[in-house]
Amino acid sequence: MASKQNTVTFINTSAEVKKALEGLSKTALRASGKVIRKKLRENVPVRSKFLKNHIGTWVFIARDTGVPTMQIGLYGWQRVKKRNKQPSSMSPHWVEFGTKAHEITAKSAKVLAYNDISYGKRVQHPGNKATHFLRDTVFNNVDEIRAAQAEYLAEISKTIDEAKQKIDQGDDFEDDD
């Protein structure tokens, strides 16, 4: 089943109006992003204390549709280091989605050997259970996210109403024939 996306119809297509509406939309999304990032940092699993440095939100206007969009996700360790923060030793993807049991083998590393028995060449990893802290935090706090956006969405509605009042509906003509 295909989902319908809300489309934005500009009544005034001047660059200033578009820029103002896009700015207000992005500001509303950033406000909700601030709320969700705070909640996510509170819900980070204890076993990986530096995982909170990986949490991020992205706000942008989709080029193909023009719809303001916010994405919530986890940065990789390279981006965290660029921001001068300590990266987590665990991959954020592994914490969120878990890992299956698998074997880890050393290809060219030195291994401990005793009486022709190699130790450490192969390790059986038991896997990790998924925590879904990112997804669950977003789903459980939808009302707070919407409340953070409410102030800016009211301002957008006010701006649109002001623009509607400025629209010239046309001249009324009277004929006295």
Side-chain angles (χ1 to χ4, degrees):
M1 181 172 143
S3 64
K4 285 187 174 181
Q5 267 191 334
N6 295 336
T7 58
V8 177
T9 304
F10 291 103
I11 52 177
N12 182 344
T13 57
S14 66
E16 301 88 34
V17 172
K18 282 185 181 180
K19 189 172 183 176
L21 288 175
E22 286 175 357
L24 288 171
S25 301
K26 287 170 107 176
T27 305
L29 289 172
R30 284 188 190 106
S32 61
K34 189 174 184 181
V35 168
I36 198 63
R37 283 192 312 269
K38 181 180 177 189
K39 292 284 185 186
L40 281 168
R41 286 189 178 100
E42 292 170 1
N43 293 338
V44 168
V46 177
R47 68 177 187 250
S48 53
K49 64 181 181 178
F50 291 119
L51 192 61
K52 66 180 182 275
N53 295 335
H54 291 263
I55 297 168
T57 55
W58 303 261
V59 176
F60 59 93
I61 304 294
R63 291 182 184 183
D64 55 343
T65 61
V67 175
T69 306
M70 178 177 66
Q71 292 181 349
I72 303 165
L74 300 164
Y75 292 123
W77 66 268
Q78 297 93 340
R79 176 71 60 100
V80 173
K81 279 194 101 111
K82 273 187 184 177
R83 296 169 62 214
N84 295 322
K85 294 188 179 185
Q86 178 68 34
S88 174
S89 59
M90 294 184 77
S91 168
H93 188 271
W94 296 341
V95 176
E96 178 71 12
F97 299 107
T99 59
K100 294 180 181 179
H102 59 282
E103 186 177 84
I104 302 170
T105 58
K107 292 189 170 90
S108 62
K110 292 181 181 178
V111 294
L112 177 63
Y114 180 74
N115 288 339
D116 296 328
I117 300 173
S118 295
Y119 297 97
K121 189 147 178 98
R122 290 188 182 94
V123 176
Q124 186 63 36
H125 190 283
N128 290 330
K129 184 179 176 188
T131 58
H132 299 299
F133 76 98
L134 181 71
R135 180 183 64 182
D136 292 344
T137 302
V138 172
F139 287 160
N140 294 337
N141 295 294
V142 169
D143 293 334
E144 292 182 41
I145 293 169
R146 289 184 178 149
Q149 292 176 354
E151 174 188 343
Y152 297 99
L153 294 175
E155 193 171 334
I156 290 171
S157 295
K158 182 180 149 190
T159 304
I160 290 172
D161 289 341
E162 287 174 1
K164 282 181 181 177
Q165 290 175 357
K166 292 179 182 178
I167 295 175
D168 184 17
Q169 298 294 333
D171 296 329
D172 292 333
F173 295 102
E174 292 183 20
D175 282 337
D176 288 337
D177 288 328

